[in-house]
Amino acid sequence: MKVTYDPEVDVLSVLLAEGVVEESDESKPGVILDYDANGNLVGLEILNASKRVRDPRSVEYAIAQ
């Protein structure tokens, strides 16, 4: 998984898996889901991230036991 934030365009991207994006869907305004040819979710983008996420420059990672 790879998380990037571009402050110039205020977009937070989460890449879940490597692959070619075949289809994108804006399920909610400003939230774009990317799918591969098999319909698997491979990534998502959050537009206007600084208004939707507390701190888009910070990533917290946890493994639930």
Side-chain angles (χ1 to χ4, degrees):
M1 181 173 12
K2 181 178 180 182
V3 179
T4 58
Y5 174 65
D6 185 340
E8 288 188 30
V9 292
D10 197 19
V11 173
L12 179 67
S13 300
V14 179
L15 179 63
L16 302 171
E18 294 293 327
V20 177
V21 174
E22 291 290 327
E23 182 180 345
S24 295
D25 179 35
E26 191 169 2
S27 63
K28 304 266 185 187
V31 179
I32 300 169
L33 305 176
D34 296 326
Y35 299 93
D36 66 11
N38 295 319
N40 299 310
L41 182 65
V42 295
L44 62 101
E45 295 176 325
I46 301 173
L47 310 180
N48 301 312
S50 64
K51 294 178 178 75
R52 298 169 177 263
V53 178
R54 184 179 316 161
D55 183 2
R57 297 170 196 253
S58 174
V59 175
E60 189 173 319
Y61 179 78
I63 299 174
Q65 300 278 341

